[in-house]
Amino acid sequence: MSTPFNTPLEILGGISADVFLRDYWQKKPLLIRQAIPDFVSPLDGNDLAGLSLEEMVESRIVLEHGETPWQLKQGPFDDDTYSTLPERDWTLLVQAVDQFSPEVAEVLEHFTFLPNWRIDDVMISFAVPGGSVGPHYDNYDVFLLQAEGKRSWKIGQMCDNESLILNHPDLRILEEFEQTDEWVLEPGDMLYLPPRLAHWGIAQTDCMTWSVGFRAPSTAEVVTNYADFVARFLPDEQRYGDADMSPVQNPSYIRPEDIKRLRQLISEQLDDDRMLLTWFGQYMTEPRYPDLLVGSDISADDLQDTLNQGAVFTRNPTARLAWSHIQLDTETAVVFFVSGNSRILSEHLVPLLDLLCCADAVYIDNLEPWLNDAEATTLLCELIKHGSLECIDE
Ligand code: SIN
Ligand code: CO
């Protein structure tokens, strides 16, 4: 269950979610000392290096003084990579560690005051003294949790697409950094940064930082992707029409009335709440690593048996779930989004959706009320077939 908006939250340094959203979110940075008191990282630098050897995992190393300044090496790496690195000034960064480590994914439980479909991943970096990825800005909100060691964080100016960037083939490092503040973060401390704020983290000791990053599609992505989605439902016969046209005086001239027709054509197609919700829910729940969703066939009877025998199911960390209400022609229904797909369901399933989206696990005790409901059991079987629900125990 979610916390009331005005309750002080430790993760936000004692301010409430509504104050945070009003004063800081997407506006200004917030330093939170001991956001997670006595935080102990469940993995260390060696574990992270181990992950960076895996084919499935996205990793990179930034060396400030490599073969070229700010050299970027892309993973997967091998043991030799690590034996040849210098003692100082490099950082290993591994994306989406929450997808591979349930202990890391647990940190996301602190952020339930924000929509989960806005969360991108938990990126983890390990740096040796002096390690840094240079001054830069990101287009996303991020919470930087210091997990091990000490890192200094400098913050600077608000940037935009005109900000000067070093001429580098892979990295977007700022040419100018106008420092406004600097803090040294220790384990458990956290820094929230809004999008486009220049920042520069430099390891003071061997250190590890967890970045809880948020996703926001660019306007260009929204416009092109939504238009593509809508277009899939439009027959070729449906076209620009001007049955109401008056004779033209200059055949080369595009008149305001021609543009008015065009605007109407576009807005009729694009301004449709049902299409917008369907597209948005599907788009925002697209999984990062769809190959990690491996399902298994199950019938409603098998489901009942396996639950009776003590099976416990959890959400696959790759699966993204969200739901909403949708207006159909004559009634309101519920639409459930699962990893890029959508399904219309009856309203009475809302408590089950809450359970599936929020509970740590589902098993006979919390699923019992739903096992005689055909719509509910069909949904559960589909989630298992699709790999969104995984059996962890029997
Ligand atoms: C890091 O963890 O080293 C870099 C994270 C960031 O600046 O976005
Ligand atoms: Co950054």
Side-chain angles (χ1 to χ4, degrees), residues 12 60 75 88 91 111 126 133 138 143 159 170 182 191 218 258 272 295 308 316 334 349-350 370 375 393:
L12 294 176
R60 62 213 147 105
R88 287 188 55 91
T91 308
F111 297 92
F126 171 80
V133 298
D138 301 303
F143 289 89
C159 300
D170 310 301
E182 177 173 9
L191 178 60
S218 67
D258 303 322
D272 178 324
N308 283 336
N316 182 325
V334 164
L349 293 187
V350 166
W370 302 102
E375 197 180 353
D393 209 358

Side-chain angles (χ1 to χ4, degrees), residues 377-390:
T377 51
T378 305
L379 174 66
L380 290 167
C381 290
E382 273 184 16
L383 294 176
I384 295 167
K385 272 186 214 163
H386 183 249
S388 300
L389 276 184
E390 294 178 315

Side-chain angles (χ1 to χ4, degrees), residues 182-209:
E182 177 173 9
W183 302 285
V184 175
L185 268 66
E186 303 201 13
D189 294 345
M190 192 168 77
L191 178 60
Y192 163 74
L193 299 178
R196 294 180 299 284
L197 184 74
H199 54 282
W200 191 357
I202 304 171
Q204 295 207 332
T205 62
D206 279 4
C207 80
M208 185 184 285
T209 305

Side-chain angles (χ1 to χ4, degrees), residues 113-148:
F113 59 92
L114 294 164
N116 61 7
W117 44 264
R118 283 279 269 118
I119 294 175
D120 190 10
D121 68 350
V122 183
M123 190 271 283
I124 301 190
S125 69
F126 171 80
V128 292
S132 157
V133 298
H136 67 281
Y137 69 93
D138 301 303
N139 281 314
Y140 307 100
D141 306 83
V142 66
F143 289 89
L144 298 158
L145 171 67
Q146 194 57 29
E148 260 183 25

Side-chain angles (χ1 to χ4, degrees), residues 204-258:
Q204 295 207 332
T205 62
D206 279 4
C207 80
M208 185 184 285
T209 305
W210 294 19
S211 301
V212 178
F214 286 74
R215 54 212 288 265
S218 67
T219 307
E221 249 175 292
V222 170
V223 171
T224 52
N225 205 293
Y226 180 56
D228 277 350
F229 176 81
V230 171
R232 278 190 245 150
F233 301 94
L234 296 174
D236 202 34
E237 287 68 23
Q238 199 169 325
R239 281 170 184 263
Y240 175 86
D242 45 14
D244 57 343
M245 183 163 58
S246 53
V248 298
Q249 273 159 15
N250 180 343
S252 315
Y253 188 66
I254 299 174
R255 295 165 300 178
E257 66 187 74
D258 303 322

Side-chain angles (χ1 to χ4, degrees), residues 273-274 277-278 324-328 331-335 344:
D273 282 346
R274 199 168 142 183
L277 170 62
T278 309
S324 188
H325 281 106
I326 194 163
Q327 188 57 47
L328 303 180
E331 59 184 315
T332 303
V334 164
V335 57
I344 304 278

Side-chain angles (χ1 to χ4, degrees), residues 41-327:
S41 173
L43 42 75
D44 62 16
N46 285 325
D47 299 321
L48 201 65
L51 269 177
S52 77
L53 312 182
E54 309 269 341
E55 196 68 43
M56 256 322 279
V57 176
E58 290 168 64
S59 59
R60 62 213 147 105
I61 292 174
V62 177
L63 280 135
E64 187 167 350
H65 312 287
E67 287 156 25
T68 52
W70 300 110
Q71 186 188 359
L72 174 74
K73 290 175 185 255
Q74 295 279 10
F77 299 111
D78 51 34
D79 291 330
D80 288 351
T81 314
Y82 290 99
S83 55
T84 54
L85 286 173
E87 270 181 21
R88 287 188 55 91
D89 304 340
W90 59 264
T91 308
L92 160 70
L93 303 109
V94 181
Q95 290 303 138
V97 181
D98 53 308
Q99 303 275 308
F100 306 100
S101 160
E103 290 90 351
V104 171
E106 268 176 31
V107 76
L108 299 176
E109 286 166 17
H110 291 286
F111 297 92
T112 51
F113 59 92
L114 294 164
N116 61 7
W117 44 264
R118 283 279 269 118
I119 294 175
D120 190 10
D121 68 350
V122 183
M123 190 271 283
I124 301 190
S125 69
F126 171 80
V128 292
S132 157
V133 298
H136 67 281
Y137 69 93
D138 301 303
N139 281 314
Y140 307 100
D141 306 83
V142 66
F143 289 89
L144 298 158
L145 171 67
Q146 194 57 29
E148 260 183 25
K150 289 187 195 180
R151 187 191 281 270
S152 95
W153 283 100
K154 302 173 200 283
I155 56 163
Q157 72 277 24
M158 267 295 172
C159 300
D160 59 28
N161 59 342
E162 312 246 299
S163 302
L164 296 178
I165 302 289
L166 287 187
N167 186 9
H168 189 289
D170 310 301
L171 298 175
R172 292 175 49 81
I173 297 176
L174 286 167
E175 235 177 76
E176 285 158 13
F177 185 76
E178 298 152 26
Q179 185 175 326
T180 55
D181 253 311
E182 177 173 9
W183 302 285
V184 175
L185 268 66
E186 303 201 13
D189 294 345
M190 192 168 77
L191 178 60
Y192 163 74
L193 299 178
R196 294 180 299 284
L197 184 74
H199 54 282
W200 191 357
I202 304 171
Q204 295 207 332
T205 62
D206 279 4
C207 80
M208 185 184 285
T209 305
W210 294 19
S211 301
V212 178
F214 286 74
R215 54 212 288 265
S218 67
T219 307
E221 249 175 292
V222 170
V223 171
T224 52
N225 205 293
Y226 180 56
D228 277 350
F229 176 81
V230 171
R232 278 190 245 150
F233 301 94
L234 296 174
D236 202 34
E237 287 68 23
Q238 199 169 325
R239 281 170 184 263
Y240 175 86
D242 45 14
D244 57 343
M245 183 163 58
S246 53
V248 298
Q249 273 159 15
N250 180 343
S252 315
Y253 188 66
I254 299 174
R255 295 165 300 178
E257 66 187 74
D258 303 322
I259 296 300
K260 195 169 160 200
R261 270 186 222 103
L262 183 70
R263 177 172 300 112
Q264 200 171 339
L265 176 154
I266 292 175
S267 58
E268 266 169 20
Q269 297 311 322
L270 299 190
D271 188 16
D272 178 324
D273 282 346
R274 199 168 142 183
M275 287 291 249
L276 270 171
L277 170 62
T278 309
W279 170 75
F280 192 61
Q282 292 187 0
Y283 190 72
M284 294 307 280
T285 59
E286 268 172 17
R288 187 176 187 119
Y289 299 123
D291 292 350
L292 294 181
L293 288 170
V294 183
S296 53
D297 223 350
I298 189 163
S299 67
D301 287 345
D302 290 345
L303 175 66
Q304 177 86 55
D305 290 346
T306 178
L307 288 168
N308 283 336
Q309 285 159 23
V312 175
F313 292 87
T314 55
R315 281 180 304 280
N316 182 325
T318 294
R320 294 186 195 272
L321 311 183
W323 68 277
S324 188
H325 281 106
I326 194 163
Q327 188 57 47

